[in-house]
Tab-separated table of all heavy atoms in Angstrom:
chain	number	residue	atom	x	y	z
A	1	GLY	N	0.819	-1.195	0.000
A	1	GLY	CA	0.000	0.000	0.000
A	1	GLY	C	0.860	1.254	0.000
A	1	GLY	O	2.061	1.219	0.267
A	2	ASP	N	0.255	2.394	-0.306
A	2	ASP	CA	0.997	3.661	-0.344
A	2	ASP	C	0.738	4.538	0.873
A	2	ASP	O	1.032	5.728	0.884
A	2	ASP	CB	0.624	4.458	-1.607
A	2	ASP	CG	-0.874	4.742	-1.715
A	2	ASP	OD1	-1.623	4.398	-0.771
A	2	ASP	OD2	-1.294	5.307	-2.747
A	3	GLY	N	0.196	3.918	1.941
A	3	GLY	CA	-0.130	4.692	3.132
A	3	GLY	C	-1.587	5.093	3.182
A	3	GLY	O	-2.176	5.195	4.265
A	4	ARG	N	-2.170	5.341	2.009
A	4	ARG	CA	-3.596	5.665	1.941
A	4	ARG	C	-4.431	4.432	1.635
A	4	ARG	O	-5.557	4.314	2.100
A	4	ARG	CB	-3.851	6.738	0.876
A	4	ARG	CG	-3.261	8.106	1.229
A	4	ARG	CD	-3.329	9.058	0.061
A	4	ARG	NE	-2.466	8.617	-1.049
A	4	ARG	CZ	-2.359	9.238	-2.208
A	4	ARG	NH1	-3.071	10.351	-2.411
A	4	ARG	NH2	-1.556	8.751	-3.155
A	5	THR	N	-3.870	3.529	0.843
A	5	THR	CA	-4.563	2.282	0.520
A	5	THR	C	-3.785	1.101	1.095
A	5	THR	O	-2.551	1.108	1.083
A	5	THR	CB	-4.702	2.107	-1.008
A	5	THR	OG1	-3.382	2.149	-1.608
A	5	THR	CG2	-5.556	3.204	-1.591
A	6	PRO	N	-4.487	0.088	1.624
A	6	PRO	CA	-3.781	-1.073	2.201
A	6	PRO	C	-3.149	-1.940	1.116
A	6	PRO	O	-3.549	-1.883	-0.059
A	6	PRO	CB	-4.906	-1.825	2.927
A	6	PRO	CG	-6.160	-1.441	2.181
A	6	PRO	CD	-5.947	-0.041	1.712
A	7	GLY	N	-2.158	-2.730	1.502
A	7	GLY	CA	-1.561	-3.663	0.559
A	7	GLY	C	-2.541	-4.788	0.232
A	7	GLY	O	-3.514	-5.014	0.941
A	8	ARG	N	-2.265	-5.492	-0.871
A	8	ARG	CA	-3.153	-6.595	-1.256
A	8	ARG	C	-2.369	-7.678	-1.992
A	8	ARG	O	-1.352	-7.399	-2.639
A	8	ARG	CB	-4.297	-6.096	-2.141
A	8	ARG	CG	-3.869	-5.626	-3.530
A	8	ARG	CD	-5.036	-5.080	-4.332
A	8	ARG	NE	-4.619	-4.727	-5.700
A	8	ARG	CZ	-4.761	-5.526	-6.754
A	8	ARG	NH1	-5.310	-6.711	-6.609
A	8	ARG	NH2	-4.364	-5.137	-7.962
A	9	PHE	N	-2.860	-8.922	-1.872
A	9	PHE	CA	-2.295	-10.035	-2.625
A	9	PHE	C	-2.894	-10.028	-4.030
A	9	PHE	O	-4.066	-9.699	-4.213
A	9	PHE	CB	-2.601	-11.370	-1.938
A	9	PHE	CG	-2.040	-11.467	-0.547
A	9	PHE	CD1	-2.862	-11.372	0.566
A	9	PHE	CD2	-0.684	-11.629	-0.355
A	9	PHE	CE1	-2.352	-11.446	1.843
A	9	PHE	CE2	-0.153	-11.709	0.932
A	9	PHE	CZ	-0.996	-11.609	2.020
A	10	ARG	N	-2.090	-10.419	-5.000
A	10	ARG	CA	-2.553	-10.367	-6.381
A	10	ARG	C	-1.945	-11.497	-7.203
A	10	ARG	O	-0.744	-11.787	-7.084
A	10	ARG	CB	-2.168	-9.019	-6.999
A	10	ARG	CG	-2.517	-8.844	-8.452
A	10	ARG	CD	-2.191	-7.443	-8.924
A	10	ARG	NE	-0.776	-7.137	-8.799
A	10	ARG	CZ	0.153	-7.465	-9.731
A	10	ARG	NH1	-0.205	-8.135	-10.835
A	10	ARG	NH2	1.425	-7.125	-9.536
A	11	ALA	N	-2.779	-12.161	-8.008
A	11	ALA	CA	-2.275	-13.119	-8.988
A	11	ALA	C	-1.718	-12.341	-10.169
A	11	ALA	O	-2.302	-11.341	-10.599
A	11	ALA	CB	-3.395	-14.046	-9.442
A	12	THR	N	-0.591	-12.765	-10.701
A	12	THR	CA	0.047	-12.034	-11.798
A	12	THR	C	-0.616	-12.314	-13.142
A	12	THR	O	-0.316	-11.644	-14.139
A	12	THR	CB	1.533	-12.402	-11.897
A	12	THR	OG1	1.662	-13.811	-12.143
A	12	THR	CG2	2.251	-12.033	-10.592
A	13	GLY	N	-1.503	-13.303	-13.193
A	13	GLY	CA	-2.154	-13.665	-14.451
A	13	GLY	C	-1.413	-14.743	-15.219
A	13	GLY	O	-1.861	-15.168	-16.295
A	14	ILE	N	-0.285	-15.196	-14.696
A	14	ILE	CA	0.506	-16.240	-15.359
A	14	ILE	C	0.097	-17.605	-14.820
A	14	ILE	O	0.136	-17.828	-13.609
A	14	ILE	CB	2.014	-16.010	-15.136
A	14	ILE	CG1	2.443	-14.662	-15.718
A	14	ILE	CG2	2.823	-17.147	-15.739
A	14	ILE	CD1	3.864	-14.277	-15.378
A	15	LYS	N	-0.289	-18.494	-15.706
A	15	LYS	CA	-0.589	-19.860	-15.291
A	15	LYS	C	0.718	-20.643	-15.223
A	15	LYS	O	1.499	-20.640	-16.166
A	15	LYS	CB	-1.552	-20.527	-16.276
A	15	LYS	CG	-2.047	-21.894	-15.805
A	15	LYS	CD	-3.102	-22.459	-16.722
A	15	LYS	CE	-3.606	-23.812	-16.228
A	15	LYS	NZ	-4.660	-24.375	-17.103
A	16	PRO	N	0.997	-21.305	-14.102
A	16	PRO	CA	2.291	-21.982	-13.948
A	16	PRO	C	2.472	-23.134	-14.943
A	16	PRO	O	1.504	-23.806	-15.319
A	16	PRO	CB	2.248	-22.502	-12.504
A	16	PRO	CG	0.795	-22.557	-12.154
A	16	PRO	CD	0.137	-21.443	-12.913
A	17	ARG	N	3.711	-23.329	-15.348
A	17	ARG	CA	4.024	-24.421	-16.275
A	17	ARG	C	3.809	-25.785	-15.634
A	17	ARG	O	3.628	-26.775	-16.338
A	17	ARG	CB	5.471	-24.299	-16.749
A	17	ARG	CG	5.736	-23.076	-17.620
A	17	ARG	CD	7.121	-23.139	-18.225
A	17	ARG	NE	7.450	-21.927	-18.971
A	17	ARG	CZ	8.584	-21.744	-19.625
A	17	ARG	NH1	9.503	-22.713	-19.642
A	17	ARG	NH2	8.820	-20.607	-20.258
A	18	CYS	N	3.837	-25.826	-14.295
A	18	CYS	CA	3.658	-27.091	-13.599
A	18	CYS	C	2.195	-27.520	-13.536
A	18	CYS	O	1.872	-28.552	-12.944
A	18	CYS	CB	4.217	-27.006	-12.173
A	18	CYS	SG	3.404	-25.741	-11.145
A	19	ALA	N	1.299	-26.740	-14.140
A	19	ALA	CA	-0.130	-27.017	-14.053
A	19	ALA	C	-0.460	-28.417	-14.563
A	19	ALA	O	-1.238	-29.150	-13.942
A	19	ALA	CB	-0.920	-25.963	-14.819
A	20	ASP	N	0.133	-28.798	-15.688
A	20	ASP	CA	-0.146	-30.122	-16.262
A	20	ASP	C	0.305	-31.238	-15.327
A	20	ASP	O	-0.386	-32.254	-15.165
A	20	ASP	CB	0.531	-30.265	-17.623
A	20	ASP	CG	-0.081	-29.340	-18.678
A	20	ASP	OD1	-1.252	-28.923	-18.491
A	20	ASP	OD2	0.602	-29.026	-19.677
A	21	LYS	N	1.479	-31.038	-14.710
A	21	LYS	CA	1.994	-32.036	-13.782
A	21	LYS	C	1.066	-32.174	-12.571
A	21	LYS	O	0.801	-33.288	-12.115
A	21	LYS	CB	3.406	-31.654	-13.319
A	21	LYS	CG	4.033	-32.647	-12.342
A	21	LYS	CD	5.429	-32.212	-11.922
A	21	LYS	CE	6.011	-33.210	-10.902
A	21	LYS	NZ	7.382	-32.787	-10.465
A	22	LEU	N	0.574	-31.054	-12.069
A	22	LEU	CA	-0.324	-31.079	-10.916
A	22	LEU	C	-1.652	-31.739	-11.272
A	22	LEU	O	-2.204	-32.519	-10.487
A	22	LEU	CB	-0.560	-29.664	-10.392
A	22	LEU	CG	0.673	-28.954	-9.789
A	22	LEU	CD1	0.313	-27.528	-9.365
A	22	LEU	CD2	1.216	-29.731	-8.601
A	23	MET	N	-2.166	-31.450	-12.456
A	23	MET	CA	-3.422	-32.059	-12.889
A	23	MET	C	-3.258	-33.564	-13.054
A	23	MET	O	-4.131	-34.355	-12.670
A	23	MET	CB	-3.891	-31.427	-14.199
A	23	MET	CG	-4.299	-29.956	-14.085
A	23	MET	SD	-5.749	-29.699	-13.032
A	23	MET	CE	-7.031	-30.374	-14.090
A	24	ALA	N	-2.116	-33.978	-13.619
A	24	ALA	CA	-1.847	-35.402	-13.811
A	24	ALA	C	-1.730	-36.135	-12.486
A	24	ALA	O	-2.088	-37.313	-12.375
A	24	ALA	CB	-0.573	-35.586	-14.628
């Protein structure tokens, strides 16, 4: 945050390459 707004968690929009391995 910048002091006026609180910080927040955010997904970057990138799907991990390990997704197929996790699904399998």
